[in-house]
Amino acid sequence: CLIHFYKRSMKLCTTCREENIDYDKCVDNFLEEELVPHPDDLYLSDDAQRWCSGLICRECKEGVAIKLGDGKWEKVEVLLEDADTNLQGWVLARGVRDRWLQGILNNVVYYLNEPPDEKENETDYSLPGQDDQIWLCWDKGQAVGFCTLKICGNKVPGTFVDKYQMDIVDSVFIRKSHRRKGLGKALIKELIATYQSNLGFSSPMSKGMMRLVLDILSKNADKQDNFWLCSDSGGEGERKNIWLMAQTMKI
């Protein structure tokens, strides 16, 4: 399990920034923790999953490397690279590796390195279920963000018969280095084109995402009845219209 007391230091780190660092020779400079599920075990139950060890720098508290199946440490930034440098924008996960990269972005980059801001109503994310849909955001072959969705008609975990009543955006993350570049707006436009009926957003919703959605709805009046803030399945009594909320509460 990840531990909440890991907080980022504001000083410039001198421990983990070496380009050709040999982690095995300086392992005492790092904390070793299980950070992400093994890529071969993503579809297994939680109890059956093996987890990959990661290194957390003792100085800056960032997750910097993950141990691969061959026992070697690999930098997080290198793992997030794809051989196809033409990968650009939001792309549906192409297989197990992309789902694993989402886990790295979520558990290491978002949770440890660029942690959620409570003042912006940002929260930690659980890893997606095997039936959830995953989009990755790419910049020249580097994974820089993700979006996960609960799909309409799929069973709600922990229930016997409940099913999601609409497609629900469950989590969104874009790296700080790539914010304010239109990637969030591009995601919403992609989702509108892909999921042309009702579209839900899991509660709570960050202030940044709320601002973005309301800006898009203000320019797309035909979609104002179709965007919902959802809890659980998004069924009756578990959803609120986002545009109406904004008008009522003057968000």
Side-chain angles (χ1 to χ4, degrees):
C1 249
L2 299 178
I3 303 174
H4 278 278
F5 66 73
Y6 294 133
K7 298 294 183 183
R8 292 193 63 187
S9 170
M10 296 303 293
K11 62 182 179 180
L12 183 64
C13 180
T14 57
T15 300
C16 63
R17 299 305 184 198
E18 295 180 30
E19 186 173 347
N20 297 311
I21 188 170
D22 186 336
Y23 293 111
D24 288 318
K25 291 183 178 179
C26 56
V27 71
D28 289 342
N29 294 330
F30 301 92
L31 298 168
E32 185 171 341
E33 290 284 338
E34 293 182 335
L35 293 183
V36 291
H38 191 283
D40 292 341
D41 295 354
L42 290 177
Y43 293 111
L44 299 181
S45 65
D46 292 347
D47 293 340
Q49 285 180 341
R50 296 167 294 168
W51 279 58
C52 297
S53 294
L55 294 179
I56 300 170
C57 178
R58 292 182 182 275
E59 184 176 347
C60 70
K61 307 301 185 288
E62 286 195 5
V64 296
I66 292 175
K67 183 176 286 187
L68 304 179
D70 58 6
K72 295 181 180 179
W73 295 103
E74 186 62 89
K75 288 185 177 181
V76 167
E77 299 299 332
V78 173
L79 290 171
L80 293 173
E81 295 175 354
D82 192 272
D84 183 1
T85 57
N86 292 318
L87 272 174
Q88 193 71 26
W90 292 95
V91 181
L92 273 172
R94 300 161 296 167
V96 171
R97 176 168 172 77
D98 280 5
R99 296 184 74 92
W100 189 58
L101 294 185
Q102 189 277 332
I104 295 174
L105 283 167
N106 185 67
N107 285 13
V108 183
V109 179
Y110 178 53
Y111 187 87
L112 290 175
N113 302 355
E114 302 176 18
D117 184 349
E118 292 182 1
K119 294 179 181 178
E120 284 296 308
N121 209 33
E122 296 174 353
T123 60
D124 299 333
Y125 297 140
S126 299
L127 290 175
Q130 66 180 51
D131 293 329
D132 293 352
Q133 194 169 82
I134 294 173
W135 294 72
L136 290 184
C137 185
W138 298 92
D139 181 27
K140 299 177 183 177
Q142 184 86 10
V144 297
F146 65 80
C147 171
T148 69
L149 292 102
K150 306 293 185 183
I151 301 303
C152 182
N154 283 355
K155 183 175 176 291
V156 178
T159 67
F160 290 106
V161 296
D162 291 352
K163 295 182 179 180
Y164 292 106
Q165 300 301 301
M166 68 178 75
D167 300 304
I168 300 175
V169 177
D170 195 45
S171 65
V172 177
F173 169 69
I174 298 172
R175 298 196 69 168
K176 291 181 178 180
S177 59
H178 286 71
R179 295 177 189 177
R180 294 180 174 83
K181 295 184 177 182
L183 295 175
K185 183 176 292 186
L187 170 64
I188 301 302
K189 289 183 177 179
E190 187 72 46
L191 296 178
I192 289 175
T194 304
Y195 310 98
Q196 297 183 8
S197 184
N198 290 321
L199 183 63
F201 292 80
S202 287
S203 180
M205 197 173 178
S206 72
K207 293 180 180 179
M209 180 57 70
M210 180 65 78
R211 288 192 295 267
L212 174 61
V213 167
L214 290 176
D215 179 64
I216 290 175
L217 291 179
S218 70
K219 300 168 184 174
N220 295 270
D222 60 314
K223 294 296 180 182
Q224 291 171 4
D225 292 338
N226 302 119
F227 276 43
W228 303 85
L229 185 66
C230 298
S231 60
D232 300 320
S233 70
E236 292 293 336
E238 297 177 340
R239 65 190 184 209
K240 296 179 181 180
N241 180 268
I242 292 175
W243 184 253
L244 185 59
M245 282 176 54
Q247 308 315 302
T248 303
M249 302 173 64
K250 296 183 180 180
I251 295 176

